[in-house]
Amino acid sequence: DDDCDGVLDNNPPAPAVLCAPAPNGTAACTDGACRMTCDTGWTDADGAAATGCECQLEASETGRDTCLDAIDLGNMADSGADTTVRGKIGPPGDVDWYTFNAVDSPDITCDAFNVDIRFTANPGNVFRMDVYRGGCGTTIACTAALDRYSWYTDYADTPHSATANGECQCRPASTDGYNTCNDNSSVFHVRVFRDPGAAGDCAEYALRITNGVF
């Protein structure tokens, strides 16, 4: 009963308000603090009701918080597929998911399959990515990387060797000591999130995904 009128938790007399109006959302007193309910397409990145819902999300990000609902980037062949995605991570616990099918084209002498995923913009190095190879629920291939991830077979090795690795050189069939040019096609899932210890903001990351470029 802050204003001693005998009524608990009531709003103050007009024109005063308990929670000031906030942009792109509505502030209401909950559990003793002003908390935001954001308009569709906006999020409260810093957790402060005073700044309202200050971060506008891209339409492609809405509802993309699970592996099964990842943004599908389609087929990416090892002939030089190259795409960049951008996004924002708003409130704590927010994540962005992407998926693509990395295609290993038939090879005769050298396998060009090289999946590379790298941050080209990571303000303050607060963004991280997990990479899954083979679909949702499979073994994680990369955990909390802040720079890049690669999965490749296009590295050179001496043929006619019992310990030869890689598929460059390689042959359609394993002959004369060369390794086989295998079909390494696989589905990848990428989870982008903010370092749990970092403060929330509306900074934008950029993630470049390629196959057969590097």
Side-chain angles (χ1 to χ4, degrees), residues 12 19 36 62 79 102 118 138 140 145 150 157 162 173-174 181-182 184 186 200:
C19 295
M36 291 300 307
T62 304
S79 54
R118 61 179 67 187
T138 56
I140 191 168
S150 290
D157 203 348
S174 184
C181 295
N182 296 307
N184 297 286
S186 186

Side-chain angles (χ1 to χ4, degrees), residues 119-170:
F119 282 111
T120 54
N122 189 348
N125 280 336
V126 300
F127 294 103
R128 302 287 186 270
M129 65 172 158
D130 294 338
V131 180
Y132 297 78
R133 180 174 179 267
C136 295
T138 56
T139 302
I140 191 168
C142 175
T143 304
L146 58 81
D147 47 10
R148 64 178 295 191
Y149 161 83
S150 290
W151 199 99
Y152 53 92
T153 61
D154 60 336
Y155 56 92
D157 203 348
T158 304
H160 306 283
S161 169
T163 59
N165 296 307
E167 297 178 18
C168 186
Q169 300 285 336
C170 64

Side-chain angles (χ1 to χ4, degrees), residues 20-38:
N24 311 309
T26 302
C29 184
T30 304
D31 296 329
C34 291
R35 304 185 190 279
M36 291 300 307
T37 299
C38 294

Side-chain angles (χ1 to χ4, degrees), residues 70-76 83-85 98-101 190 207 209:
I71 297 171
D72 192 349
L73 304 178
N75 291 330
M76 299 193 66
T83 189
T84 295
V85 294
Y98 302 95
T99 184
F100 60 93
N101 181 35
V190 184
L207 196 66
I209 303 172

